[in-house]
Amino acid sequence: MDESLEYWDAVAALDWQVELGADEAILDVPVDRFDLPAPAPKPKPATAPVTQAAPVQPAAPAVDTVAISKQLAESAGSMEVLRAALEGFEHCELKRGARNFVFSDGHSSARVMVVGEAPGRDEDQQGKPFVGRAGQLLDKMFAAIGLDRQVDGAGGLYITNMLPWRPPQNRDPKPEELAMMQPFTRRHIELANPDVVVLMGNHACSGLLGRRGITRMRGNWEDVLGKPAMPMFHPAYLLRNPAAKREAWADLLEIKARLG
Ligand code: URA
């Protein structure tokens, strides 16, 4: 076999494992798990004469995860309590595969609150939303209207996502994941109490408005918890479709005008 091909296959396999989150080798020498001896068959348990039928276990009651998240979120009286409740929430499978919990960045006193979709690889590594390429573009976009996540007070920007854990291989959030996390995001908005909410892309729109279709929705004010909410093209979309930056710029100017 061509050795360079084997090498690049191995590099690709390693990249794939890093992408999945593998960050250390557990054993000193590799184990070929396809070449292990077959395990010995388990001995059959001795059959005792049946005297009584085994009691039937009742099926575990289905857990209403949306009701649980709603109850937890609504009873959070402060940002710290909400953060802790969300971090401790055990019903979302994404938590098991994520490296870090990603709650927010910026100061919650900011007048503008951005709601994105979910952490990607960089966000999962750093535990902060929008820090990868899309995040750098987001920072530039808001800097153009005088807003900055580093600033506390006027001119600040507060940033969160619909989901606080990275979906595997950056797949789209599932509707049931958005439904389960939506009470937390709503409470997050209530507690931050911004003047304007920005819904970044289709998943933020589905999660908070129950509708999607960003191409038609963008640029038109919506209402989220009594606050003006602007749907915008997600910066990751703008990276793939630079021509749409024109519309994004119009939406940013609309937000700036709204802030007065
Ligand atoms: N995309 C998002 O929607 N959120 C992030 O935090 C990063 C990328």
Side-chain angles (χ1 to χ4, degrees):
M1 176 185 289
D2 177 348
E3 272 180 20
S4 65
L5 199 64
E6 263 187 71
Y7 171 80
W8 287 112
D9 280 352
V11 170
L14 193 58
D15 278 349
W16 182 67
Q17 291 190 38
V18 171
E19 172 71 12
L20 287 180
D23 57 5
E24 64 179 321
I26 308 256
L27 299 174
D28 290 340
V29 281
V31 175
D32 182 353
R33 293 187 191 279
F34 292 103
D35 201 23
L36 293 177
K42 278 192 194 159
K44 281 196 182 152
T47 43
V50 178
T51 50
Q52 207 184 342
V56 177
Q57 296 294 329
V63 182
D64 184 347
T65 50
V66 177
I68 296 173
S69 68
K70 203 161 180 282
Q71 199 275 328
L72 281 169
E74 284 174 4
S75 58
S78 70
M79 204 59 103
E80 293 68 36
V81 174
L82 181 74
R83 186 192 169 106
L86 183 51
E87 191 167 13
F89 187 73
E90 295 297 340
H91 300 283
C92 181
E93 278 303 311
L94 296 176
K95 183 175 183 178
R96 321 248 178 274
R99 184 179 295 223
N100 273 305
F101 168 67
V102 179
F103 185 64
S104 68
D105 197 21
H107 298 269
S108 59
S109 55
R111 294 184 65 197
V112 176
M113 178 167 179
V114 171
V115 181
E117 173 184 327
R121 196 172 87 134
D122 297 309
E123 291 76 20
D124 183 44
Q125 272 170 357
Q126 296 185 38
K128 277 188 190 179
F130 282 104
V131 291
R133 278 184 72 222
Q136 285 157 20
L137 177 58
L138 179 139
D139 284 341
K140 282 192 198 145
M141 288 161 61
F142 283 93
I145 57 163
L147 302 180
D148 181 343
R149 63 170 105 183
Q150 311 290 348
V151 170
D152 190 3
L157 185 67
Y158 188 55
I159 306 175
T160 190
N161 278 314
M162 288 302 304
L163 306 182
W165 295 291
R166 180 193 183 194
Q169 277 107 53
N170 297 346
R171 67 152 167 76
D172 282 349
K174 296 181 182 170
E176 56 272 28
E177 289 163 350
L178 290 171
M180 202 192 304
M181 291 298 131
Q182 171 263 122
F184 288 106
T185 314
R186 292 175 77 81
R187 187 71 186 131
H188 201 161
I189 296 171
E190 278 175 349
L191 290 167
N193 195 22
D195 292 340
V196 166
V197 178
V198 180
L199 303 171
M200 277 304 180
N202 265 325
H203 298 293
C205 291
S206 330
L208 291 170
L209 300 171
R211 281 177 286 129
R212 50 187 298 149
I214 193 67
T215 310
R216 271 173 295 104
M217 291 169 78
R218 60 139 287 275
N220 298 302
W221 288 105
E222 298 278 351
D223 182 293
V224 171
L225 297 161
K227 301 186 180 305
M230 174 58 77
M232 284 186 68
F233 284 134
H234 193 288
Y237 174 81
L238 297 176
L239 287 171
R240 296 191 303 272
N241 301 277
K245 285 185 183 169
R246 196 183 144 99
E247 280 91 356
W249 177 236
D251 301 344
L252 288 167
L253 292 179
E254 186 64 39
I255 292 169
K256 185 175 175 181
R258 188 79 182 218
L259 294 170

